[in-house]
Amino acid sequence: MKKFSLLRNPSVIISLYIFLFFTFIILLYGTIKLEKKISDRMIEITTSDVISIVNNNALVIETFLNENSISDIKLIKNDSYLYKKIEDNLNLLLTSNIKYAYILYKDEQDIFRFFLDGSLIKEEKVSRNQKFDIDNSLWLDIYKTKKPITFQNNDSNDLSITYLTPILKNNEVKLVLVVDYSIEKIENINEILYILKILFIFILLVVFIFLIILLVQSSRYVAIRKTAYIDKLTGVYNRNYLQEFGNFINLNGYILATLDIDHFKAVNDSYGHLFGDKVLKEISSIISISTRNKEDIVIRYGGEEFIILTKIKREDSLSALNVIERILINIREHKFYYNHTNHINITASVGINLYPHKSNNFLEAFKLADISLYNAKNKGRNNIQIYDDLKSHNNQIIVSINDINDALEEDRIICYYQGIIDNNTHKIDYYEALLRIIDKEGNIITPNEILPVIEGTFLLRNITKSVLNNCYKKLLLNQNIKLTINLREKDLLDKSIMNILEDYAKKQNISNRLAIEIVENYGLISNKQVKINLILLKSLGYKIFIDDFGTGYTDFIYLTEIKTDYIKIDEKIIKRILIDKNIHTFVKTIISFAKEINIKVIAEHVDSKEIYDEIKSLGIEYSQGYYFSSPKETI
């Protein structure tokens, strides 16, 4: 698993900002609600004492009225003694919080008038019977309910409360005691809550601005990341896409194919890298046109290798396979112009994994397709090989890098040997050492399953060293045999392998009995260091065999420069020698040339008496194939 990174996941940052945004909205809403709740609660707490005092005062005044037989308001106002007692009692209510205390009555026209103003400042004192204008219907309700009423005054800068309590006589409201008072503590709390509201609004604004900026930057980031997944040369997905999303591709819905351009290095070296880039662009364009938009996935995996995931419709692989076949045909038919008038034709090899979903992950599924690609190349290129067919017909066993590494550590790398027969004496001249691995279940794994898996890894070198060691031990045990070992271009460039071969040459009777088999190709021939190393090995006593001769890149001058001892004519040529006149003529040409420069010829895969008789009549000196023996573990 990749380590989680916020920078790699801008959606997480956006989600976090959205979460913060809505969190602050909730906090703002909560603050408003809290302000109201605190305000109501503080009013309740603060007014309880005031109300209690006012109610007691109202009871005292009510007692004054009930002790006096006068019930008419006018007569009460004329009773100076009673009026003075009420006034003194009213004045006791005035405090720093209670700003106003006064008594009202309602005249015959239901107009409120001042009965008594408790103000201590003469200039502010309202005269008796002065009209009092009400702005709230609650003032009238007190005559109906005969119960105290409280309401807030919202038109003032200060938070103030008006409290009305009735003064009864004979169960009838005669007077209304009114007090106005302010609550400073609530105001202080409201100021704090107001500041919090402003702060939350400011934070919301900042978060909102950052959210907008983040959305813009994220859209740019996504666009940049998208370009990071696109191969600049070909316009299809690149290896970054595979590394990022490979394990998220639902393999149940696809077949997986790997496509490799045949002899692309030779094209690059012969016509230049600009033309090579042109070829890559045109082939990627052919692949893109041949595939189905928004259904199939095309990835440039390496220099000239593409991965193609074709969509399966209704569990029918045929339509997906048709896409791959169409790609290969379109590449074959396309003319690749290297100037205005001249062109070359290029082919490709394809390996297919029909059931990638059966693998544990994308990499394992890809390896199986790559094994098929390896077999497609071995079968002459320009063809399609399907892993499922290989598995069912040849009983191939899936092998992983870990399996191969375990086999190395547990010494389960072995060699099978197949004889190279002298056609004149019918005796075995050399044995070719063929790589095999014994898996943990005892099954024998062949190079077709091994080499594609370890290509480009350190295991390839270790496998070569193990095979060399097996051959060396075999030569020490039996002084009468000669062996050939297959080496690749990378092996011949590896200093540690060259050192091993140099050490073997110092031992008596080893290098003259161990021959080096190489597959001639353009990359091998064009590499000067490989040529130097081959000449060095030749000087140390090793014989040089050219394998699969006749189907790949052939440079006759190169054969003489490295002082080649043997050439092995490829199986595809030998198999057709009886039915194809052109092939027959070609073989005769090879034999004639080889004799001229003193190179011996071996016919590979001689599987029948008819083929053996024919190649012998042509003058081929050696044969190798199932007509004589299959590869065996023992000699």
Side-chain angles (χ1 to χ4, degrees), residues 290-309:
S290 304
T291 51
R292 298 158 296 183
N293 190 29
K294 296 182 180 179
E295 290 186 4
D296 304 326
I297 301 171
V298 181
I299 304 162
R300 185 185 176 194
Y301 184 72
E304 67 270 19
E305 187 172 0
F306 294 83
I307 293 174
I308 305 165
L309 290 151

Side-chain angles (χ1 to χ4, degrees), residues 22 110 144 230 293 306 487 524 529 605 631:
F22 283 104
D110 287 337
K144 298 175 185 178
I230 301 297
N293 190 29
F306 294 83
L487 295 184
L524 189 81
Q529 188 59 49
H605 293 267

Side-chain angles (χ1 to χ4, degrees), residues 443-457:
N443 300 305
I444 301 299
I445 313 298
T446 63
N448 285 348
E449 292 91 45
I450 300 167
L451 296 179
V453 177
I454 61 175
E455 184 69 36
T457 71

Side-chain angles (χ1 to χ4, degrees), residues 446-510:
T446 63
N448 285 348
E449 292 91 45
I450 300 167
L451 296 179
V453 177
I454 61 175
E455 184 69 36
T457 71
F458 70 94
L459 291 177
L460 183 63
R461 176 182 60 198
N462 293 347
I463 288 285
T464 301
K465 288 180 179 180
S466 182
V467 171
L468 277 170
N469 185 50
N470 286 344
C471 290
Y472 177 66
K473 290 178 179 177
K474 185 69 69 173
L475 291 170
L476 290 177
L477 288 172
N478 191 336
Q479 297 291 323
N480 297 318
I481 62 169
K482 294 186 289 185
L483 303 177
T484 72
I485 181 172
N486 290 278
L487 295 184
R488 299 159 68 90
E489 181 183 350
K490 290 181 180 178
D491 295 326
L492 294 169
L493 291 171
D494 191 286
K495 289 183 179 180
S496 62
I497 291 174
M498 288 298 297
N499 288 337
I500 291 171
L501 289 169
E502 288 181 39
D503 288 339
Y504 288 172
K506 294 175 184 177
K507 311 293 183 183
Q508 187 177 4
N509 204 26
I510 294 294

Side-chain angles (χ1 to χ4, degrees), residues 208-240:
F208 180 73
I209 292 171
F210 271 98
L211 185 59
I212 295 298
I213 294 171
L214 187 61
L215 286 171
V216 172
Q217 292 296 338
S218 295
S219 63
R220 291 180 181 176
Y221 175 78
V222 170
I224 292 170
R225 286 298 298 273
K226 188 175 180 180
T227 60
Y229 300 133
I230 301 297
D231 182 61
K232 292 180 181 179
L233 179 65
T234 61
V236 300
Y237 288 121
N238 58 19
R239 203 160 182 166
N240 294 335

Side-chain angles (χ1 to χ4, degrees), residues 509-562:
N509 204 26
I510 294 294
S511 62
N512 63 324
R513 293 190 295 130
L514 181 60
I516 308 299
E517 284 199 34
I518 57 172
V519 177
E520 185 187 26
N521 57 52
Y522 189 84
L524 189 81
I525 291 171
S526 62
N527 194 308
K528 292 181 180 179
Q529 188 59 49
V530 171
K531 181 179 176 182
I532 291 169
N533 288 348
L534 281 172
I535 293 172
L536 171 63
L537 293 176
K538 180 70 178 175
S539 69
L540 294 174
Y542 294 99
K543 295 290 190 293
I544 304 297
F545 284 55
I546 302 296
D547 200 6
D548 298 341
F549 189 85
T551 58
Y553 186 92
T554 301
D555 186 336
F556 295 107
I557 296 174
Y558 186 79
L559 298 182
T560 61
E561 288 178 344
I562 62 171

